[in-house]
Structures are given as structure tokens and as C-alpha cells.
């Protein structure tokens, strides 16, 4: 059932969206439906279906998909950010559609800020939230929803952040972005405008969330570090919380970022760095090696999905063990690379840095091989002794710190602007 009377209502949002090479992790707040967390695969697939052959969800079944609309989104995107109009599936629907998948090019590929997928995922998340709010508020689908994004906080890898953050932010503010959601029998046109777009550095945005965790979070990290490595950290959570001169190691799917903060807690963009290598590159390499052994995966997404499925461990025990062994070899090699790059970068800042944090979507998978290597390499810079504590996040915190930090930043910016969602 469509409702034309809602066309004049403006849905106002603030958004913190970590558009990662592997997953979209975001939080969007609105004046209509509070806050919604988003956690989907960073993938889209072209919808080539002719109108006559469409199989849309009937309006009687909207309730079954609306709470997970981000994984069921089927929409046409018309935006100044995109060279051409296109219709795409998002998230899980994209992965299961059988259509060609758009995933981020990682390694030495194109910049994230110039890949269409970045804009599709951002706009799709905002449009999906608006549709979800509209339905949950009225239990009808409007024909048109107008969205005013008061603040959107996004992130780019550090090297890309230095050069392209202003262009990336301004591209969203060029005009109206139209997302026509075609998941259900009734089309819903979502018109999106952005008032303020702030682009932060990946890895650096996580510091907002780490600071928000306070001494209690630091205490938990100390206990974890003492149990999972041979460190003997005698500092308290309050000691760690008061240390502002820090380095992060943010292991993403496409990049690994090393943000540095000075003694006053300010981000030092000049000293920070990123490398065009991440856990996704590990999986890409594993896919190539597995092909040679007769195990065929279409791409790293398919391999990652296979590894995360507990049923494969039970039903395909021998095959799973062999595949995991190949992936582990690739992980071990990458862990050595990260540890060496960290040590080289740390040489310059060793006397200033007080604490090192390790996090990111790829951190947990790397922990067995990486944690102790970082500890050992830190000792090499400090006469064989422990100096800077190495604090290593586990899931779920490891993969959502950037998301949480971006949303904290968005709320602060809105407050500074003197704005509100009312």
C-alpha cells in the first residue's frame, strides 16, 4: 500500500559509515527511527532482470525483509557521484544473485574514493535506513522519501585521505542523489541531500571509540595482552587511558593503516601511513594458490564465506583443513610483512609513542601470527625490553572501532554546528 501524504516529510539523518573493502559497518541515527547499526558485505551486483521477468517481494511480506533491508536492497542509483545510472543488488542478495559481483579492488588497484561501489554502498545504506524508518513508523510504503543528511562521517585509507578527502567529501554535496528502491512491488523513490560530509582517516577514527571506552576498556585490553602474549604489563587501565601518544595498526581488507597521535591526542597525518595491502590481499593470494590445488573459489568473498561457515568444518573436514592450511600460510607471510613495516616506521617515533593498539576487520584472523611478532619487534627497538604495551583487540570490538568512532565524530560535528535531528 503506497502513501502519498508522506512526501512532504523530511527524514533527517546523521551517519557514521565505515565503507570497508570487506564490509560496510555503520550507524545511522534519524529523527524518525532512532539509531540503526549496519553490517553487510561490501558487495553489489548489477540487476539485469527485465521488468517483465521481475520477482519482487509482495507488499504483504515487507515485514519479513524490512529489518534486514540492507541485505535485500534492489535499487536504481542516479547520482552526481556515478558516471551512469545503474540498478544493483546489495549485500547478501548481491552475493546470492549469481550476477557479476562488484567488490573493491585491493592491493595496487584504484583508489577507494573513485570506485563506484563506494558511493553505491553509502547511498544504499542511507536510503535503506530511510525506508526502514518510514515502514516502522507508518507500516505503509511511501512513494517518495526525502532525506537530509545533516552530517555524514566517512573514512579513507591514510594515504588516500591526504590527497583526496576534500574531493571525496564534496562529491556527495554536488546535488540530489536519487535511489529508487525496487525490492518490493511498490517503487520507493528516496531523494538524498548532504549538508555536511567529513572524511576521516581510516584507523584514526577508531581512536574516538577507544577514548570513549575509557579506563575499563584499557583494563580489559591489558588483561588480554598479558594472557595472549608474553608481555607483563603492570600499568593500570587509567595509566593507558591517560596516554595520548599512540600508534594504531588497523588491518583492513584492502589496506593496513598506521595512524599516529601526538602527546596532546591530535592526529599526526604527516607521520601516519598506510600500505596497500590487507587481509583481502591475503585471501586473494590464497584463492590463486587454491586454484592450483583444484579448489575453485570465484573470489575472496566466496572463500571468506566458506571459511566462516561452521557447517563446512563438520561436513567437509579434510577439504576445510587443507584450505585453512593454505590460508594460514598466506596469513603468516603477511603477518611478517606487517611486523617489519611496523618496526621500520616505529624507529622514527619510538621515543614518543607510549601505547600501540591493534584492531581492524582482519586483526582477529592475524592474531596468532602477528601479536607476538609485534611484541618481539618492539623489543628490538628497546634494548630487548618491553617499552610500549601492545594492546590487541578481538572481535567484535576490533572490526567496529572505526564505525563507532565515525558515529561519535558525526554526533560531535552536529553538536558543534548547533544542529539537531528534531
Amino acid at each position: 500500500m503506497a502513501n502519498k501524504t508522506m512526501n512532504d516529510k523530511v527524514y533527517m539523518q546523521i551517519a557514521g559509515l565505515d565503507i570497508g573493502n570487506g564490509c560496510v559497518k555503520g550507524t545511522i541515527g534519524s529523527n524518525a527511527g532512532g539509531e540503526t547499526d549496519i553490517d553487510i558485505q561490501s558487495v553489489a551486483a548489477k540487476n539485469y532482470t527485465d521488468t517483465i521477468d521481475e520477482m519482487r517481494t509482495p507488499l504483504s511480506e515487507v515485514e519479513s525483509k524490512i529489518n534486514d533491508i540492507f541485505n535485500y536492497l534492489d535499487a536504481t542509483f542516479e547520482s552526481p557521484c556515478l558516471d551512469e545510472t545503474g540498478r544493483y543488488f546489495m549485500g547478501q542478495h548481491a552475493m546470492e544473485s549469481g550476477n557479476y559481483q562488484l567488490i573493491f579492488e585491493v592491493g595496487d588497484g584504484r583508489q577507494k574514493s573513485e570506485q563506484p561501489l563506494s558511493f553505491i554502498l553509502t547511498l544504499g545504506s542511507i536510503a535503506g535506513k530511510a525506508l526502514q524508518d518510514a515502514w516502522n513508523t507508518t507500516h505503509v510504503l511511501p512513494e517518495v522519501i526525502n532525506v537530509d543528511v545533516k552530517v555524514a562521517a566517512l573514512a579513507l585509507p591514510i594515504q588516500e585521505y591526504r590527497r583526496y578527502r576534500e574531493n571525496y567529501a564534496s562529491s556527495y554535496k554536488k546535488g540530489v542523489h536519487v535511489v529508487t528502491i525496487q525490492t518490493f512491488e511498490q517503487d520507493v523513490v528516496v531523494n538524498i541531500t548532504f549538508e555536511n560530509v567529513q572524511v576521516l582517516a581510516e584507523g584514526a577514527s577508531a581512536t574516538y571509540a577507544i577514548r570513549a571506552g575509557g579506563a575499563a576498556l584499557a583494563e580489559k585490553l591489558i588483561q588480554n595482552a598479558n594472557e595472549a602474549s608474553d608481555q607483563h604489563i603492570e600499568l593500570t587501565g587509567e595509566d593507558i587511558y591517560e596516554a595520548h601518544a599512540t600508534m594504531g595498526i588497523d588491518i583492513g581488507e584492502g589496506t593496513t593503516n598506521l595512524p599516529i597521535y601526538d602527546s596532546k591526542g591530535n592526529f599526526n597525518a604527516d607521520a601516519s601511513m598506510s600500505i596497500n595491502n590487507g587481509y583481502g590481499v591475503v585471501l586473494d593470494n590464497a584463492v590463486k594458490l587454491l586454484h592450483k590445488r583444484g579448489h575453485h573459489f570465484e573470489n575472496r568473498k566466496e572463500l571468506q564465506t566458506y571459511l566462516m561457515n561452521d557447517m563446512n568444518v563438520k561436513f567437509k573436514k579434510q577439504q576445510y583443513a587443507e584450505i585453512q592450511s593454505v590460508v594460514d600460510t598466506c596469513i603468516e607471510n603477511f603477518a611478517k610483512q606487517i611486523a617489519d613495516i611496523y618496526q621500520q616506521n616505529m624507529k622514527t617515533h619510538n621515543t614518543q609513542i607510549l601505547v600501540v593498539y591493534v584492531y581492524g576487520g582482519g586483526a582477529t584472523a592475524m592474531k596468532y601470527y602477528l601479536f607476538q611478532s609485534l611484541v618481539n619487534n618492539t623489543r628490538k627497538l628497546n634494548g630487548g625490553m618491553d617499552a610500549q604495551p601492545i594492546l590487541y583487540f578481538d572481535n567484535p570490538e576490533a572490526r567496529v572501532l572505526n564505525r563507532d568512532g565515525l558515529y561519535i565524530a558525526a554526533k560531535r560535528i552536529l553538536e558543534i554546528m548547533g544542529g539537531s535531528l528534531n
Side-chain angles (χ1 to χ4, degrees):
M1 175 179 190
N3 183 353
K4 297 181 180 180
T5 64
M6 296 176 62
N7 294 4
D8 294 332
K9 179 179 176 62
V10 177
Y11 285 70
M12 291 185 287
Q13 296 182 357
I14 57 170
L17 293 173
D18 177 18
I19 309 295
N21 289 294
C23 295
V24 175
K25 299 170 289 290
T27 300
I28 302 178
S30 80
N31 63 335
E35 296 176 354
T36 296
D37 289 335
I38 300 165
D39 193 343
I40 63 171
Q41 292 290 315
S42 291
V43 58
K46 268 284 186 81
N47 183 351
Y48 301 103
T49 306
D50 291 330
T51 304
I52 195 171
D53 294 325
E54 282 186 322
M55 292 292 292
R56 295 204 193 185
T57 301
L59 296 180
S60 61
E61 298 178 14
V62 172
E63 199 74 47
S64 67
K65 292 185 176 178
I66 200 70
N67 289 333
D68 194 21
I69 187 60
F70 311 100
N71 272 316
Y72 289 109
L73 203 70
D74 173 5
T76 297
F77 294 79
E78 184 177 354
S79 166
C81 297
L82 300 171
D83 292 335
E84 59 182 19
T85 300
R87 184 173 174 180
Y88 299 91
F89 299 124
M90 267 177 53
Q92 193 66 30
H93 194 171
M95 295 183 68
E96 295 175 351
S97 67
N99 295 353
Y100 175 76
Q101 296 178 11
L102 279 72
I103 61 177
F104 282 112
E105 297 179 21
V106 298
D108 295 323
R110 294 157 55 197
Q111 307 290 345
K112 182 188 291 184
S113 59
E114 65 181 20
Q115 296 186 51
L117 182 59
S118 181
F119 301 106
I120 291 168
L121 295 172
T122 299
L123 296 172
S125 296
I126 289 167
K129 166 64 171 168
L131 179 65
Q132 191 180 77
D133 286 348
W135 175 263
N136 289 336
T137 301
T138 66
H139 292 286
V140 293
L141 293 181
E143 292 184 356
V144 178
I145 305 174
N146 296 313
V147 180
D148 177 10
V149 182
K150 307 294 286 186
V151 181
L154 309 173
L156 289 174
I158 291 171
Q159 306 292 73
E160 195 173 346
Y161 162 85
R162 287 199 188 99
R163 296 186 59 188
Y164 300 109
R165 65 183 184 278
E166 292 182 1
N167 289 340
Y168 187 55
S170 64
S171 63
Y172 284 102
K173 296 187 287 186
K174 287 181 180 177
V176 179
H177 311 264
V178 181
V179 180
T180 303
I181 298 175
Q182 295 159 287
T183 303
F184 307 108
E185 289 178 337
Q186 166 68 43
D187 281 1
V188 179
V189 177
V190 184
N191 299 311
I192 303 169
T193 56
F194 292 84
E195 286 191 35
N196 191 319
V197 179
Q198 295 293 321
V199 179
L200 284 69
E202 290 179 1
S205 55
T207 300
Y208 288 104
I210 294 172
R211 297 292 299 166
L217 174 61
E219 195 70 51
K220 185 173 73 170
L221 291 171
I222 292 170
Q223 182 179 348
N224 178 291
N226 285 334
E227 292 174 354
S229 70
D230 67 0
Q231 297 178 92
H232 301 286
I233 303 170
E234 297 179 353
L235 298 165
T236 67
E238 192 64 38
D239 292 331
I240 296 293
Y241 177 71
E242 291 176 354
H244 297 291
T246 64
M247 175 187 287
I249 302 176
D250 175 24
I251 306 169
E253 183 149 335
T255 55
T256 298
N257 297 282
L258 281 73
I260 290 177
Y261 276 77
D262 65 23
S263 60
K264 295 182 179 180
N266 296 314
F267 176 55
N268 186 340
D270 294 323
S272 303
M273 66 170 294
S274 61
I275 58 174
N276 290 325
N277 210 343
Y279 184 61
V281 178
V282 170
L283 294 177
D284 280 340
N285 292 337
V287 167
K288 295 174 185 176
L289 292 175
L290 288 167
H291 277 184
K292 295 178 181 178
R293 298 192 181 193
H295 301 291
H296 295 284
F297 293 93
E298 185 67 27
N299 52 43
R300 67 178 186 273
K301 290 289 184 189
E302 194 172 295
L303 173 58
Q304 195 168 25
T305 301
Y306 174 92
L307 292 171
M308 293 171 64
N309 188 339
D310 291 338
M311 298 303 289
N312 287 330
V313 181
K314 181 182 293 187
F315 284 85
K316 306 173 183 178
K317 189 174 181 179
Q318 287 184 318
Q319 181 195 57
Y320 189 93
E322 180 172 334
I323 290 171
Q324 185 66 67
S325 175
V326 171
V327 173
D328 285 345
T329 298
C330 295
I331 289 175
E332 185 176 9
N333 291 335
F334 183 44
K336 293 175 181 176
Q337 181 185 358
I338 292 177
D340 287 345
I341 291 172
Y342 158 77
Q343 183 182 351
Q344 187 64 36
N345 197 41
M346 190 64 160
K347 284 180 181 179
T348 307
H349 310 286
N350 187 41
T351 58
Q352 289 84 37
I353 298 299
L354 297 175
V355 184
V356 177
Y357 294 99
V358 188
Y359 48 88
T364 301
M366 305 284 298
K367 185 174 181 178
Y368 178 80
Y369 296 100
L370 180 61
F371 198 179
Q372 192 61 46
S373 293
L374 293 172
V375 173
N376 294 340
N377 282 15
T378 304
R379 288 170 178 161
K380 291 176 184 177
L381 299 172
N382 294 286
M385 296 177 287
D386 286 330
Q388 298 87 354
I390 312 297
L391 302 181
Y392 207 115
F393 281 86
D394 286 318
N395 280 339
E397 290 97 339
R399 61 188 301 276
V400 298
L401 283 174
N402 280 306
R403 176 202 72 182
D404 292 348
L406 288 168
Y407 191 61
I408 290 170
K411 289 192 292 184
R412 287 184 182 174
I413 293 165
L414 183 64
E415 184 179 346
I416 292 169
M417 290 167 53
S420 73
L421 294 179
N422 299 320

